[in-house]
Amino acid sequence: MKNKIAGKIGEDCAAKFLEEKGYTILARNFRIRSAEIDIIAQVDDVIIFVEVKARSNIRHGLPSEAVTVRKQKKIIEAAGVFLQEEKTDRACRFDIVEIYFSGERVEEINHIENAFEVVQNF
């Protein structure tokens, strides 16, 4: 399966998975100049910024390991823009959803809550 197709299918599966857990999807593929957030959701009064990573094998590491510090900084920057545009100061967190494929079938979904945090000296 091509990476772009796997990514799109993975994001669709992650959104459905989150909705089934009671999350409301606020936005998908929120973009700023230098970054993108795959899914922005809400549960209770918390905004969740979700990075989706899909893999058909772990030869190159776990999907979540692809969310490097550099990628985290970009996601945090985009989240700041979203929060400013929405004029909200609600609590937020950063999650990762790992999607594991077997062929073209989703085999497993792993939701990592609070996968990373904004730190002062980031």
Side-chain angles (χ1 to χ4, degrees), residues 48-92:
I48 298 96
F49 299 98
V50 182
E51 177 69 7
V52 179
K53 288 294 179 191
R55 295 284 184 276
S56 57
N57 62 62
I58 56 171
R59 272 193 302 254
H60 301 292
L62 298 174
S64 59
E65 293 173 340
V67 186
T68 62
V69 171
R70 183 171 184 258
K71 177 78 172 166
Q72 291 174 20
K73 286 181 180 180
K74 290 181 176 290
I75 293 168
I76 290 165
E77 179 185 358
V81 171
F82 178 84
L83 293 170
Q84 284 178 335
E85 286 181 1
E86 294 295 312
K87 295 179 177 41
T88 184
D89 60 355
R90 284 186 283 166
C92 64

Side-chain angles (χ1 to χ4, degrees), residues 21-35:
K21 285 180 70 173
Y23 290 55
T24 301
I25 305 300
L26 302 177
R28 291 193 50 188
N29 305 110
F30 177 81
R31 295 180 199 275
I32 63 170
R33 177 183 41 80
S34 61

Side-chain angles (χ1 to χ4, degrees), residues 3 11 15 34-36 41 46-47 58 67 82 94-95 97 99-100 109 112 116 118:
N3 285 349
E11 287 179 16
S34 61
E36 176 185 7
V46 179
I47 296 176
I58 56 171
V67 186
F82 178 84
F94 298 90
D95 292 2
V97 174
I99 307 289
Y100 293 91
I109 299 174
I112 304 167
F116 59 93
V118 178

